[in-house]
């Protein structure tokens, strides 16, 4: 790294060189040459005069949300939160950082993506990587054995994300989890019902929820002849099937992971299977698969799960898919992942606008995932006491991206405030009257704005209303003050009515209650 | 630091020593001695069997929020957000960390409290220290010259906080700021109106908003004879007047900061002054004070501010207090701070319960602060273009503490879910029927719960409703199914009604709409 002070000194010296040449009336070429050197030095500082050397940006992989994006975010969060509440969940919050050792050994290979805090004396800390591990730590710490909770918060991963595809290093997760010793597959089915409800309500186009079970994967590996110590590693190779062709996945299994061709082919046969309850039944009869106790336990649970999903009326979107693996270490049973399968409205219209093919991964991709993790809380409990858990995490950055594109493509303007009325004046010297009136409105709970100018022009006050979608203007004028009335202007129709001061609040409430 | 793997090896070896002695029927003393060594090794690991060596805690200065605390937090946030929206604010969000250099040089002495992230390759990052500097960075980066925005988010300070007093290393700030070139003191007055509204609505007992101006402080220092280069340093000594007696503050000025007794006494005279618009008028006539252009500009603005505060009907709580200094470097004009002045209800009842005096700092202390910072955005702009800003930050951790104490002292039970109805069964083998019914309710938007058991006891289902405040129970039984009805139980009165299945949703909505 360059020392900024040194560069600043060099800039000073070089500046003097240029000034001297100019005062000496040197040739243009001579001056230009030295000026070029000066500019180069300044460029190395990053600013244009050496005083403001800030790089004006957010950290890599992060972004600000502007008011329009926040309006969309609020809408999405409201839909998700309503669903979680409808299913009776409480909510908790945990700190953004945890003791480093709390996160150690929970994420397998992904641990390298954890953000650590600098050791400034005291504890070693890391930013949370997900909301599941802090949840398990919370349960163990407070000896909670059953709870249904949601948690919406940001998590942090030092990934190299493609940000145009809605992936970031700082991103929100919306988690819903059920902890407790319950009868099999009832809470698991509710998690899938929740994913179904949320994705339907957000209206993101068609979607599909893939389901599998870690025990079926393990059993399958065992009966295919994968050595025990390679289960995890082969599992993460299978996990790549959503991005890679089977041929490439097979190559990795054989060439990198050392499986024989025959074993890989047997796996290949299984992981191509997709279906519903019928597939689970068929596999329970499968000569090889039925030899594994693990696989049978998983398959019976898949059957039970589907029977509950039928009662919940969501089987239309759920597929039992043996290629679903999921990366995280802590899953022990059912796993699932929801994918948007349809090019969204926005992506299509974007394509139509630009002529270029739409970016597939914005509209197609995983937007939710989860599963059962019966061992995680026990890893934190001093006595190893287990608390069975199942949960789902909605990854909403991609959903935001789609909603943003949709909003852009749509003609409907997004409002970023909820202001009902603007208090305006038609003449000069009415600031005091405006402030008096807006105080009345605020005190009555009306959302109101006033321009922070002593004598704003009426036109600019009205323009502000048009631009920001404020539906009403309460206009004060000399004559109105004398008559004890306010001129109420309806922005959409440009209609104006004289309302007595006493009736104004009622009139505003009446006219904005439908909105 | 000890290597854990080494200790674990030692434990293994020592365990074998103990087993060998036992199998050899060694003497009790011999065995006890070796067992003691084993236990000592295990203690060094921190766990009780060497496998679970986690320290089960949150990072120092941070805390989890449990569902009850979250319910209180949601209520407080709703009050604050409603107020911000009533005043027409948009909202934005920024990342939890910023480039380290974005925060450099903004906080004076407090910079040492900034959390840095570990250098893991790439940019140097720090956790945000407040929401004001990221806001200024956002404005400069997006070339925004006027906006009224709020931002509610967590900030981070490596302080050594007294956590019982509601101070943490991770805590929320609720910021409202107005950026833009406007006529003097109109936005400033609105910020104070907002503080007044929020503190009144939260019903935290009496409060007081102190107001001063950086220019008055600077002018006062100048006319008292403080050397220019000591303004900042003397300012931070004055800032201690809320915690220290004048005599001690004076000592620091004379002994540590090197002021003469006379100069300190002159300052002492001014900083003891409190009043309203009248005080500002008096000081404008003050022989000494009126010599400072800065002070006069500040005093005129205080007068103007009070005239607007009168129109806003909030002068009852606002005091012009020359001892208010505030620490942060970036303020340029008006500054203010709100304090709760009354022992809260909760603190009083806690005192009554325990017999000990209530902890004063929970109920009395600063809960909001802010001011004008016209130079901050310019520090980020490559051309130094200024955007005048004024804002206020509600520090709500202390407010949470008071609300929590109030809730504990109160007889009213806080609900942590919004469940309207529990779907229960009176007999065995009705899981399918329960799941079918709850699907109908969920699909109709009713907030409903079901026990995750095949055959839960009716009593335990009813008990769950009593405990978590669920008002209604929809009970399924063999007979009801035959009759096409549901037994609806009103938990509060234990009344039970047979409702036809078709009318159930309407009945539930009707009975829970008042809640």
């Amino acid at each position: 790294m360059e020392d900024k002070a040194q560069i600043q000194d060099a800039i000073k010296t070089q500046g003097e060189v240029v000034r001297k040449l100019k005062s000496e009336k040197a040739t243009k070429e001579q001056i230009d040459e030295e000026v070029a050197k000066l500019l180069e030095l300044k460029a190395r500082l990053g600013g244009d005069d050496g005083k403001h050397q800030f790089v004006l940006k957010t950290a890599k992989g992060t972004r600000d949300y502007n008011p329009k994006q926040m309006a969309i975010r609020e809408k999405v969060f409201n839909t998700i939160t309503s669903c979680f509440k409808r299913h009776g969940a409480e909510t908790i919050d945990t700190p953004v950082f945890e003791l480093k050792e709390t996160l150690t050994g929970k994420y397998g290979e992904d641990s390298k993506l954890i953000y650590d805090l600098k050791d400034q004396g005291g504890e070693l800390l890391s930013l949370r990587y997900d909301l599941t591990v802090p949840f398990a730590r919370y349960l163990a710490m407070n000896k909670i054995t059953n709870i249904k909770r949601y948690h919406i918060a940001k998590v942090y991963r030092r990934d190299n994300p493609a940000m145009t595809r809605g992936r970031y290093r700082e991103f929100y997760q919306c988690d819903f989890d059920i902890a407790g010793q319950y009868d099999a597959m009832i809470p698991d089915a509710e998690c899938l019902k929740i994913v179904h409800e949320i994705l339907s309500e957000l209206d993101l186009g068609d979607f599909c929820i893939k389901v599998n079970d870690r025990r079926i994967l393990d059993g399958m590996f065992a009966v295919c002849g994968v050595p025990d110590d390679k289960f995890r590693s082969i599992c993460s190779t299978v996990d790549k099937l959503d991005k890679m062709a089977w041929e490439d996945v097979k190559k990795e299994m054989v060439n990198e992971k050392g499986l024989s061709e025959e074993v890989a082919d047997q796996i290949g046969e299984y992981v191509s299977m997709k279906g519903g309850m019928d597939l689970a039944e068929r596999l329970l009869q499968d000569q090889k698969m039925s030899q594994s106790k693990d696989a049978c336990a998983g398959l019976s649970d898949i059957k039970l799960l589907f029977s509950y999903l039928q009662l919940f009326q969501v089987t239309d979107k759920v597929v039992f898919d043996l290629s679903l693996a999921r990366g995280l270490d802590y899953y022990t049973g059912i796993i699932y992942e929801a994918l948007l399968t349809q090019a969204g409205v926005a992506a299509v219209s974007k394509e139509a606008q630009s002529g270029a093919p739409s970016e597939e991964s914005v509209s197609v991709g995983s937007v939710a995932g989860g599963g059962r993790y019966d061992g995680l809380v026990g890893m934190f409990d001093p006595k190893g006491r287990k608390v069975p858990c199942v949960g789902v995490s909605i990854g909403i950055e991609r959903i935001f991206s789609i909603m943003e594109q949709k909003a852009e493509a749509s003609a409907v303007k997004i409002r970023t405030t909820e202001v009902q009325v603007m208090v305006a004046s038609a003449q000069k010297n009415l600031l005091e009257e405006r402030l008096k009136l807006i105080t009345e409105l605020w005190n009555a709970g009306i959302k109101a704005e006033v321009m922070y100018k002593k004598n704003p022009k009426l036109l600019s006050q009205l323009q502000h209303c048009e631009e920001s979608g404020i539906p009403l203007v309460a206009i004060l004028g000399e004559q109105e003050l004398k008559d004890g009335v306010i001129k109420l202007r309806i922005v959409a129709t440009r209609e104006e009515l004289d309302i007595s001061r006493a009736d104004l609040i009622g009139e505003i409430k009446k006219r904005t209650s439908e909105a």
Side-chain angles (χ1 to χ4, degrees), chain A residues 131-187:
Chain A
L131 302 177
T132 310
V133 168
F135 175 56
R137 191 266 307 146
Y138 173 81
L139 295 186
M141 197 171 128
N142 297 287
K143 298 193 171 48
I144 294 165
T145 53
N146 60 301
I147 188 173
K148 181 160 59 183
R149 82 88 182 78
Y150 71 90
H151 189 187
I152 296 182
K154 287 174 176 177
V155 302
Y156 299 87
R157 301 185 183 179
R158 293 185 65 250
D159 220 328
N160 277 315
M163 274 176 291
T164 49
R165 296 178 190 181
R167 292 191 58 180
Y168 291 89
R169 288 182 162 194
E170 171 183 66
F171 58 98
Y172 268 98
Q173 287 197 331
C174 305
D175 279 25
F176 173 96
D177 293 80
I178 300 170
Q181 187 71 58
Y182 298 120
D183 283 328
M185 293 299 116
I186 314 176

Side-chain angles (χ1 to χ4, degrees), chain A residues 409-422:
Chain A
S410 139
V412 182
K413 220 174 146 183
I414 299 170
R415 282 200 70 184
T416 57
T417 76
E418 299 173 9
V419 175
Q420 298 163 294
V421 60
M422 169 104 190

Side-chain angles (χ1 to χ4, degrees), chain A residues 76 113 214 218 269 283 297 324 377 474 485 502:
Chain A
V76 174
L113 303 181
R214 270 283 162 92
D218 286 353
E269 226 166 274
L283 285 170
L324 179 72
V377 177
V485 298

Side-chain angles (χ1 to χ4, degrees), chain A residues 31-215:
Chain A
I31 294 175
D32 283 355
E33 191 179 307
E34 297 304 319
V35 167
K37 282 185 199 163
L38 181 61
L39 289 175
E40 200 200 330
L41 281 166
K42 285 186 177 176
R44 273 158 66 193
L45 264 186
D48 59 352
D49 63 355
K51 271 183 218 141
H52 303 282
Q53 64 262 44
F54 297 110
V55 186
L56 253 185
K57 67 186 284 293
T58 61
K60 186 178 173 191
T62 69
R63 61 163 166 176
D64 298 317
Y65 284 81
N66 65 33
K68 269 199 185 145
Q69 291 167 324
M70 287 299 279
I72 293 169
R73 190 172 112 177
E74 205 173 308
K75 209 182 133 214
V76 174
F77 280 162
N78 281 345
T79 303
I80 293 172
T81 306
S82 300
C83 177
F84 291 162
K85 286 187 175 175
R86 191 161 58 239
H87 287 262
E90 309 177 292
T91 186
I92 68 161
D93 194 20
T94 64
V96 83
F97 45 69
E98 294 277 344
L99 298 186
K100 185 173 167 56
E101 62 178 339
T102 297
L103 307 190
T104 305
K106 310 297 186 305
Y107 302 108
E109 282 180 19
D110 288 348
S111 296
K112 64 178 184 295
L113 303 181
I114 293 173
Y115 275 99
D116 292 329
L117 268 73
K118 190 172 159 187
D119 183 358
Q120 293 172 286
E123 299 160 337
L124 293 179
L125 306 172
S126 302
L127 297 187
R128 61 184 165 211
Y129 183 85
D130 65 8
L131 302 177
T132 310
V133 168
F135 175 56
R137 191 266 307 146
Y138 173 81
L139 295 186
M141 197 171 128
N142 297 287
K143 298 193 171 48
I144 294 165
T145 53
N146 60 301
I147 188 173
K148 181 160 59 183
R149 82 88 182 78
Y150 71 90
H151 189 187
I152 296 182
K154 287 174 176 177
V155 302
Y156 299 87
R157 301 185 183 179
R158 293 185 65 250
D159 220 328
N160 277 315
M163 274 176 291
T164 49
R165 296 178 190 181
R167 292 191 58 180
Y168 291 89
R169 288 182 162 194
E170 171 183 66
F171 58 98
Y172 268 98
Q173 287 197 331
C174 305
D175 279 25
F176 173 96
D177 293 80
I178 300 170
Q181 187 71 58
Y182 298 120
D183 283 328
M185 293 299 116
I186 314 176
D188 311 59
E190 186 171 6
C191 288
L192 295 180
K193 167 79 173 148
I194 282 172
V195 175
H196 193 281
E197 284 180 17
I198 289 173
L199 294 183
S200 303
E201 279 172 49
L202 287 175
D203 196 19
L204 301 163
D206 209 7
F207 61 90
C208 141
I209 308 173
K210 295 181 181 176
V211 180
N212 199 3
D213 193 297
R214 270 283 162 92
R215 293 165 298 171

Side-chain angles (χ1 to χ4, degrees), chain A residues 336-356:
Chain A
Y336 33 81
E337 198 165 288
L339 296 103
L340 301 180
T341 53
Q342 198 189 355
V345 175
V348 169
S349 69
K350 198 184 171 192
E351 182 173 355
Q353 280 166 18
S354 67

